[in-house]
């Protein structure tokens, strides 16, 4: 299948006064045309940094993209010039940000903020762009008459719809949504998600959905990548990840969710905390928290290996023929 | 505003009273007799108690009479207004000059934060803030009037007379405004909506000027407003150095001559002026930030 985006061995560091933060350490994944990939991980796993890297918008300084490649429609984003980047941003790849409260400019009417990308990329005049911006507002379920309102006059959910309208205005081939529903309350979350899903299916876009909410992933995503400490630990179709879990960390994520089939049972949290990205442990970065860890895990870094079809996993113990996660044992 | 003016007038009236010196000495010729002086004192009410004199003065102001100068015999309000446009001209051009330098420089230093360019600008700004106005004025006169002979050293006339005083006053303002613009921009640059704008594909210039500067305007306008009232009422030094017939010099001259009505009246009028400028700044806020406008119009 045709690939819209291919990220290979991406390395991103933040060089701060206190030390070097290893945010992304050899990240590789790809998104096929008209597919939605969910990027899942805890806070601090490097999800947002990965998203910003795709637009080459990692704040510099202190951020440094130290290696790897990000191929978008056959071109490497990391070697694009400033002009090329400006043409790409918003036009080929658009981004929806985490917090709609701060993502909109408080002193510019929302219609104008949508119109701006149309003016930039489609060369429309101010009036034409505004007309189209109003259509976009209608598409995300906001009355066109509110185009002249300022962000502070809209509710949180409406603001996020405006952010979506901005992102979709120029019909990008890839949409990056960075926890688009985290800042919204639960009832609005469902609305916004189904709105996004509908718009994406209609316009044949691909999407990278960043989230820490596995429920959202199950609802929206075709493929899932699980990220830990700046690396992919497991990637595959949603079915692979949810029903044929291979990595201990993924299992830990599922165990910490309430299960309808086992009501009243205690949740099993993943013990410990995400390692400090300034001092990542040697070997597999998950080993200090992993119930299956062996001596080898402390020294050897696992590579992402093919398990079956499009299902890949990065775990040393997966190679042992007798190795089996507790989840699978229970299922048997 | 009214209480402020009342307190100010009382303070300044009291200060002039404490300052001592007898205006009678200034009004009458040197060889006037003791009796003549005493009669004049009685006539002008100088022998009345302090509070009586103060309330008589306030009463006058309330009925629209700010009194007459002891020295020239001219109406205080008229004299002040006659000088106002000169100070407005000087203050306005100094401020425009300051803005022209400091806003671009502030943005530039914010964008190059913690580089040698930023440090250099910071050092220059510190230098600008610390440099006394009158000294800078004298140095500029030395260089441009005496050495190079390009510009007149003082007085009024065409635009060439305005350049040196405006630059003198403007440079010290520019130093402070640069720092304000820099910190306002630094605040704004880190905001999420700047990333949104970049992610839309907006060019660097567009991001900085359309999205950044508009949000950074509030602290900048505040600083400009404060500076403007400062220039309007506090440029006495520069006006003295350059012989500029503005309000600052009027007040200084009047203090030296113990011209109480002139001093008190001028300072009260300066307070009114400050209040008007502050009001204007508040109105400009509403144009900068729609959230403030919404507060004023009573809906959110």
């Amino acid at each position: 299948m045709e690939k819209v985006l291919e990220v290979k061995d991406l390395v991103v560091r933040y060089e701060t006064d206190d030390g070097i933060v290893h945010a992304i350490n050899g990240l590789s994944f790809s998104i096929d045309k008209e597919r939605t990939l969910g990027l899942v991980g805890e806070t601090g796993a490097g999800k947002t940094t990965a998203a910003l890297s795709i637009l080459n918008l990692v704040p510099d300084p202190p951020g440094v993209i130290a290696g790897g490649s990000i191929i978008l429609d056959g071109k490497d984003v990391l070697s694009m010039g400033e002009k090329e980047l400006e043409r790409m941003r918003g036009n080929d790849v658009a981004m929806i940000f985490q917090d709609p409260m701060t993502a909109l400019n408080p002193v510019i009417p929302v219609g104008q903020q949508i119109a701006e990308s149309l003016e930039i990329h489609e060369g429309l005049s101010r009036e034409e762009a505004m007309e189209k911006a109003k259509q976009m507002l209608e598409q995300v379920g906001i009355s066109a008459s509110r185009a002249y309102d300022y962000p502070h006059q809209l509710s949180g959910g409406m603001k996020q719809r405006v952010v979506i309208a901005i992102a979709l205005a120029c019909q990008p081939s890839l949409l990056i949504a960075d926890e688009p529903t985290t800042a919204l309350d639960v009832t609005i979350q469902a609305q916004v998600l189904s709105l996004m899903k509908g718009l994406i299916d209609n316009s044949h876009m691909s999407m990278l959905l960043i989230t820490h909410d596995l429920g959202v992933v199950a609802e929206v995503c075709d493929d899932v990548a699980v990220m830990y400490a700046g690396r992919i630990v497991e990637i595959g179709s949603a079915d692979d990840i949810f029903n044929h879990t291979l990595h201990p960390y993924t299992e830990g994520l599922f165990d910490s969710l309430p299960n309808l089939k086992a009501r009243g049972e205690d949740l099993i949290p993943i013990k410990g905390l995400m390692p400090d990205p300034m001092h990542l442990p040697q070997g597999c970065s998950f080993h200090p928290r992993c119930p299956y860890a062996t001596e080898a895990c402390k020294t050897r870094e696992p590579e992402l290996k093919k398990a079956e079809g499009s299902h890949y996993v990065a775990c040393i113990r997966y190679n042992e023929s007798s190795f089996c996660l507790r989840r699978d044992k229970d299922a048997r | 505003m009214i209480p402020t003016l009342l307190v100010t007038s009382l303070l300044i009236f009291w200060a002039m009273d404490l300052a001592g010196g007898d205006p009678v000495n200034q009004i009458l010729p040197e060889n006037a007799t003791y009796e003549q002086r005493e009669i004049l004192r009685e006539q002008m009410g100088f022998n009345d108690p302090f509070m009586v004199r103060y309330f008589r003065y306030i009463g006058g102001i309330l009925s629209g009479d700010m009194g007459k100068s002891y020295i020239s015999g001219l109406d205080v309000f008229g004299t002040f207004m006659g000088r106002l446009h000169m100070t407005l001209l000087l203050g306005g051009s100094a401020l425009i000059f300051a803005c022209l330098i400091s806003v671009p420089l502030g943005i530039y230093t914010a964008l190059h934060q913690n580089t040698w360019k930023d440090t250099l600008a910071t050092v220059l700004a510190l230098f600008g803030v610390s440099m006394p106005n009158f000294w800078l004025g004298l140095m500029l006169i030395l260089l441009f009037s005496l050495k190079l002979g390009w510009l007149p050293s003082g007085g009024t006339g065409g635009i060439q007379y305005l350049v040196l005083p405006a630059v003198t006053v403007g440079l010290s303002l520019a130093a402070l405004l640069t720092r304000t613009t820099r910190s306002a921009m630094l605040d704004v640059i880190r905001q999420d909506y700047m990333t949104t704008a970049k992610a839309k594909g907006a060019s660097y210039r567009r991001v900085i000027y359309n999205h950044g500067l508009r949000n950074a305007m509030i602290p900048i306008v505040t600083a400009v407003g404060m500076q403007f009232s400062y220039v309007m009422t506090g440029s006495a030094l520069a006006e003295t150095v350059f012989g500029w017939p503005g309000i600052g010099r009027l007040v200084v001259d009047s203090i030296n001559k113990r011209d109480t009505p002139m001093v008190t009246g001028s300072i009260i009028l300066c307070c009114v002026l400050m209040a008007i400028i502050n009001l204007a700044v508040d109105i400009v806020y509403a144009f900068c930030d729609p959230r403030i406008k919404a507060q004023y119009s009573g809906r959110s």
Side-chain angles (χ1 to χ4, degrees), chain A residues 52 55 57 86 89-90 97 102-108 113 116-117 119-121 150 152-153 166, chain B residues 192-193 195-196 198-204 206 210-212 214-215 288-291 294 299-300:
Chain A
L52 288 174
L55 287 168
L57 272 180
E86 281 165 19
R89 290 175 191 151
F97 292 90
T102 57
L104 293 173
N105 193 326
V107 301
I108 300 178
Q113 296 194 49
E116 189 177 11
S117 27
E119 277 176 52
I120 295 169
H121 295 296
Y150 290 93
H152 71 272
Q153 292 164 305
I166 292 175
Chain B
D192 287 351
Y193 52 76
T195 317
T196 310
K198 284 181 210 155
K200 271 186 218 172
S203 66
Y204 192 65
R206 196 182 177 114
N210 283 24
H211 291 269
R214 274 172 80 167
N215 278 287
C288 292
D289 192 334
R291 286 165 294 187
R299 55 193 178 90
S300 63

Side-chain angles (χ1 to χ4, degrees), chain A:
Chain A
M1 207 185 250
E2 199 184 334
K3 285 190 171 74
V4 175
L5 174 79
E6 193 171 12
V7 177
K8 257 190 195 154
D9 305 319
L10 184 69
V11 179
V12 183
R13 300 192 287 258
Y14 292 104
E15 294 175 352
T16 66
D17 291 343
D18 302 328
I20 296 174
V21 178
H22 299 275
I24 296 198
N25 312 294
L27 182 73
S28 303
F29 66 89
S30 62
I31 302 175
D32 293 335
K33 209 167 178 202
E34 290 181 42
R35 301 275 283 187
T36 294
L37 173 72
L39 190 58
V40 188
E42 281 169 88
T43 305
K47 303 180 305 262
T48 301
T49 304
L52 288 174
S53 305
I54 298 170
L55 287 168
N56 206 341
L57 272 180
V58 176
D60 171 25
V64 181
I65 299 184
S69 62
I70 298 170
I71 311 291
L72 192 77
D73 294 330
K75 272 192 144 180
D76 189 352
V77 172
L78 300 181
S79 59
M80 281 185 187
E82 199 52 44
K83 283 276 156 246
E84 248 179 307
L85 282 173
E86 281 165 19
R87 269 199 299 276
M88 175 272 285
R89 290 175 191 151
N91 199 23
D92 301 328
V93 183
M95 187 155 170
I96 295 173
F97 292 90
Q98 202 173 114
D99 189 354
M101 308 303 161
T102 57
L104 293 173
N105 193 326
V107 301
I108 300 178
V110 291
Q112 209 177 316
Q113 296 194 49
I114 303 171
E116 189 177 11
S117 27
L118 294 162
E119 277 176 52
I120 295 169
H121 295 296
E122 306 198 345
L124 299 182
S125 73
R126 203 155 250 242
E127 291 75 31
E128 289 169 333
M130 199 63 185
E131 270 319 300
K132 201 157 171 215
K134 285 180 186 166
Q135 289 170 21
M136 287 306 302
L137 274 181
E138 295 274 0
Q139 262 192 53
V140 296
I142 299 177
S143 145
S145 61
R146 307 211 61 169
Y148 301 98
D149 281 4
Y150 290 93
H152 71 272
Q153 292 164 305
L154 304 180
S155 70
M158 285 168 99
K159 277 185 219 177
Q160 192 61 305
R161 286 156 189 266
V162 171
V163 174
I164 293 171
I166 292 175
L168 297 182
C170 294
Q171 304 274 328
S173 48
L174 174 65
L175 179 69
I176 303 170
D178 184 6
E179 310 206 17
T181 56
T182 307
L184 305 174
D185 56 51
V186 189
T187 45
I188 307 295
Q189 277 185 14
Q191 272 181 31
V192 167
L193 271 181
S194 63
L195 172 78
M196 278 172 58
K197 185 83 184 142
L199 290 171
I200 283 169
D201 289 346
N202 284 342
S203 46
H204 308 289
M205 282 179 209
S206 310
M207 175 159 78
L208 174 64
L209 178 73
I210 295 171
T211 179
H212 53 239
D213 187 337
L214 287 164
V216 171
V217 172
E219 205 165 316
V220 181
C221 298
D222 306 311
D223 304 300
V224 183
V226 183
M227 201 169 168
Y228 188 82
R231 269 194 206 92
I232 300 286
V233 293
E234 187 171 2
I235 185 168
S237 68
D239 177 60
D240 290 337
I241 304 292
F242 278 79
N243 301 325
H244 309 281
T245 313
L246 292 178
H247 198 278
Y249 177 62
T250 319
E251 181 189 50
L253 286 181
F254 285 121
D255 282 346
S256 45
L257 289 177
N259 188 344
L260 267 183
K261 287 179 199 147
R263 280 191 216 197
E265 267 187 33
D266 285 344
L267 299 179
I268 311 167
I270 306 176
K271 61 176 187 189
L273 289 170
M274 189 87 167
D276 176 3
M278 234 181 261
H279 312 281
L280 286 179
Q282 273 215 314
C284 173
S285 38
F286 186 58
H287 85 257
R289 304 170 73 186
C290 181
Y292 308 96
T294 60
E295 275 309 307
C297 296
K298 292 179 188 168
T299 50
R300 247 181 62 214
E301 223 173 85
E303 283 163 36
L304 203 57
K305 277 197 174 154
K306 188 170 185 163
E308 213 180 320
S310 60
H311 193 178
Y312 289 77
V313 63
C315 179
I316 295 169
R317 299 216 50 194
Y318 172 73
N319 297 332
E320 297 168 21
S321 49
S322 60
F323 180 68
C324 176
L325 291 181
R326 194 182 38 74
R327 238 167 104 89
D328 295 338
K329 270 186 200 151
D330 291 351
R332 269 174 212 166

Side-chain angles (χ1 to χ4, degrees), chain B residues 16-275:
Chain B
M16 284 308 286
D17 196 60
L18 286 182
D22 194 345
V24 171
N25 290 340
Q26 307 269 352
I27 301 167
L28 290 178
E30 262 180 55
N31 55 7
T33 62
Y34 178 78
E35 283 77 19
Q36 283 172 317
R37 286 166 198 265
E38 202 50 43
I39 289 166
L40 186 67
R41 273 203 193 102
E42 198 60 45
Q43 269 178 2
M44 299 191 80
F46 290 162
N47 289 336
D48 293 337
F50 174 74
M51 284 320 275
V52 174
R53 280 180 286 140
Y54 174 68
F55 280 111
R56 192 191 298 144
Y57 180 68
I58 292 295
I61 291 181
L62 289 180
S63 58
D65 175 18
M66 300 203 77
K68 288 190 167 37
S69 163
Y70 290 159
I71 311 299
S72 62
L74 292 172
D75 181 45
V76 168
F77 187 74
T79 315
F80 184 88
M81 284 305 172
R83 296 268 194 127
L84 182 62
H85 69 280
M86 290 309 282
T87 296
L88 273 177
L89 180 66
L90 173 58
S93 19
L95 205 65
I96 290 170
F97 174 73
C99 288
L100 284 180
I101 299 185
S102 58
V103 173
L105 192 64
I107 296 174
Y108 183 82
T109 50
L111 298 181
H112 295 87
Q113 191 199 5
N114 298 336
T115 63
W116 64 269
K117 298 164 192 161
D118 182 31
T119 316
L120 180 69
T122 308
V123 171
L124 282 180
L126 188 67
F127 197 61
V129 171
S130 338
M131 203 154 27
N133 234 332
F134 64 90
W135 182 82
L136 178 66
L138 290 174
M139 290 303 123
L140 288 177
I141 290 176
L142 264 181
L143 181 62
F144 289 102
S145 308
L146 299 183
K147 277 251 170 357
L148 299 171
W150 289 352
L151 294 162
S153 64
T156 52
I159 188 150
Q160 69 271 27
Y161 288 92
L162 183 62
V163 175
L164 283 187
V167 167
T168 306
V169 180
L171 271 182
S172 57
L173 299 183
L176 213 127
L177 278 182
T178 305
R179 303 301 292 168
T180 313
T181 310
R182 177 179 179 271
S183 65
M185 271 316 273
L186 279 179
D187 258 7
V188 167
I189 283 173
R190 301 198 179 97
Q191 297 294 323
D192 287 351
Y193 52 76
M194 297 293 272
T195 317
T196 310
K198 284 181 210 155
K200 271 186 218 172
S203 66
Y204 192 65
R205 281 186 70 87
R206 196 182 177 114
V207 172
I208 298 298
Y209 290 96
N210 283 24
H211 291 269
L213 195 55
R214 274 172 80 167
N215 278 287
M217 276 323 279
I218 293 253
I220 299 176
V221 167
T222 313
V224 169
M226 275 170 56
Q227 300 270 308
F228 191 54
S229 39
Y230 163 76
V231 184
M232 288 305 296
T233 56
S235 54
L237 281 173
E239 287 184 359
T240 309
V241 170
F242 290 99
W244 188 264
I247 297 170
R249 232 181 86 203
L250 176 69
V251 175
V252 172
D253 286 350
S254 308
I255 290 175
N256 288 335
K257 291 178 188 151
R258 298 284 175 269
D259 191 349
T260 311
M262 201 68 220
V263 176
T264 320
S266 299
I267 289 177
I268 289 174
L269 285 172
C270 282
C271 290
V272 175
L273 202 63
M274 272 191 163

